[in-house]
Amino acid sequence: MKTNLVKASARIILLASITLVSIIYANNKEANNEPKNIVTTTENNENTKIQVALLLDTSSSMDGLIDQAKARLWNIVNTLSTLKHEGKTPVLEISLYEYGNDGLSEKDDYIRQVSKFTTDLDLLSEKLFALRTNGGQEYCGAVIKKSLTQLEWDAKKSSMKLIYIAGNEGFNQGSTNYIEAISSAVSKQIFINTIYCGDRQTGISELWQAGAKKGEGKYFNIDQNRTIRYIETPYDADIDRLNKKLNDTYYGYGSLGTSKKANQLVQDSNAGSMNKAIYAERAVTKSKAAYKNESWDMVDAYKKDATFADKVKQDELPSEFKNLSKEQLKAKLTETDKQRTDIQKEIEIVAKKRAVYIEENSNKDEGDDLAAAITSSILEVASKYNYKVEK
């Protein structure tokens, strides 16, 4: 009898210990998590996605490629933003990888996921401007395989899923078989496009064209060191003025608000540091649906979730919104949203005039750069998937 009581007591103590440990673990896990976005996601499961993974060689010879990526990001996004599927705007997600950099881990095949799929275009720009070249060993098959296994690719057949890999060494380097990696991608309706930085024929001999064919994509070659001619227009000053007005409609909230708002201005500055044309392209992007910031901006959060104003706490609000009643807060958010929409429409009108001016003054024989390669292939794939261009 005594023995049974001892055993029973031991079992009770053991169960209590397990429960206590579980509670402590759960509390610690919750405490260590990053701040959660209070916006309720009501994503329509029928929305299609355009998912683009950029795999960029950051070995020591690729400074020109990285500069083109920084300069042409907004041009690429603006092209993608013209696409509609059955009258709806697809969700645009972009991911970024770097490979071939000796500063990265050898056990990871000198590959790093710089950004998972994101709709945060300011974050993507920040990551691009932070890239540095060094080294290295470039394993195309390995980076393609990692992008397939690490990223959350959409399962819908109507979604466009594209990988763009750019570099300048043999496509078959490394222990990962590029043919097997690409076959896996195609089986998931993910198409591989290759961009060789150098002479076209050399890229073919180094199997970059073979990679694109196997991946049911397109092969391009570019001169990554070519200076791209950007056309400044009579409309750039108006776009600058409107962009500054647009920035004034953004109000950060919560733990991310201050830093993300500051980063918006930093990325404006980064674009402007390259030239006025790139700054204008970024401003045009900010007038489009692809530029959304509900994780930190009050207005986008309210548009995404009508209950946002009821849930947000006073200490999460910026000074301009503190001490307002819920109804006053909703009214102010609605008014600010209208102001933003009006400015975005103005930018769109000026942007169309700017595009016409550029078309009339551009040299059609300048050859491909990173943006031209990406946008031309995207539009070709889009036509096969019933996407329409709406300008």
Side-chain angles (χ1 to χ4, degrees), residues 13 22 65 101 130 149 164 207 274 296 307 331 343 375 379:
I13 292 169
S22 299
L65 173 66
N101 190 314
T149 57
Y164 289 87
L207 302 177
M274 303 196 81
W296 65 268
T307 67
I343 296 167
T375 55
L379 293 176

Side-chain angles (χ1 to χ4, degrees), residues 52 54 56 64-80 94 128 162 164-166 193-197 218 220-230 277-278 281 285 366-380:
V52 178
L54 301 176
L56 303 182
L65 173 66
I66 304 309
D67 285 344
Q68 285 196 23
K70 291 186 291 190
R72 302 298 263 168
L73 170 65
W74 308 113
N75 178 275
I76 293 166
V77 172
N78 289 339
T79 299
L80 290 167
I94 302 177
L128 270 173
L162 304 165
Y164 289 87
I165 180 168
N193 301 274
T194 65
I195 304 169
Y196 182 75
C197 300
K218 294 192 72 174
F220 299 89
N221 75 293
I222 64 171
D223 176 1
Q224 77 274 20
N225 295 317
R226 179 171 68 86
T227 301
I228 302 170
R229 188 171 77 95
Y230 297 99
I278 295 167
E281 289 283 357
T285 296
E366 287 192 88
D368 286 332
D369 64 15
L370 185 68
I374 291 175
T375 55
S376 65
S377 60
I378 283 174
L379 293 176
E380 186 174 309

Side-chain angles (χ1 to χ4, degrees), residues 8 10 18 37 68 83 103 120 126 144 171 181-182 250 253 255 258 268 271 274 292 313 324 336 342 357 372 391:
I18 291 171
N37 180 4
Q68 285 196 23
L83 296 174
D120 187 340
E126 176 190 347
I144 290 170
F171 203 78
I182 291 176
Y250 283 85
Y253 74 91
S255 59
T258 301
D268 278 358
M274 303 196 81
K292 52 186 180 179
K313 298 174 182 176
L324 297 179
T336 307
D342 290 343
Y357 182 92
K391 300 207 175 182

Side-chain angles (χ1 to χ4, degrees), residues 13-129:
I13 292 169
L14 178 61
L15 287 170
S17 300
I18 291 171
T19 302
L20 180 61
V21 169
S22 299
I23 292 169
I24 292 170
Y25 174 77
N27 289 340
N28 285 342
K29 187 175 180 183
E30 186 172 343
N32 290 331
N33 278 347
E34 292 182 2
K36 290 181 175 61
N37 180 4
I38 66 170
V39 177
T40 302
T41 301
T42 54
E43 188 74 63
N44 183 348
N45 289 331
E46 295 181 357
N47 281 357
T48 58
K49 290 185 177 181
I50 299 176
Q51 295 181 309
V52 178
L54 301 176
L55 320 181
L56 303 182
D57 178 353
T58 57
S59 62
S60 55
S61 58
M62 290 290 108
D63 287 300
L65 173 66
I66 304 309
D67 285 344
Q68 285 196 23
K70 291 186 291 190
R72 302 298 263 168
L73 170 65
W74 308 113
N75 178 275
I76 293 166
V77 172
N78 289 339
T79 299
L80 290 167
S81 297
T82 65
L83 296 174
K84 302 282 186 183
H85 186 267
E86 297 181 351
K88 296 180 181 178
T89 300
V91 175
L92 173 60
E93 296 181 339
I94 302 177
S95 170
L96 179 63
Y97 278 77
E98 65 168 324
Y99 74 102
N101 190 314
D102 279 353
L104 303 176
S105 170
E106 181 180 359
K107 70 179 178 63
D108 290 327
D109 285 329
Y110 307 101
I111 295 165
R112 179 172 73 100
Q113 184 190 81
V114 180
S115 172
K116 63 183 181 180
F117 278 131
T118 183
T119 59
D120 187 340
L121 299 176
D122 288 345
L123 175 66
L124 195 66
S125 176
E126 176 190 347
K127 299 290 188 183
L128 270 173
F129 273 85

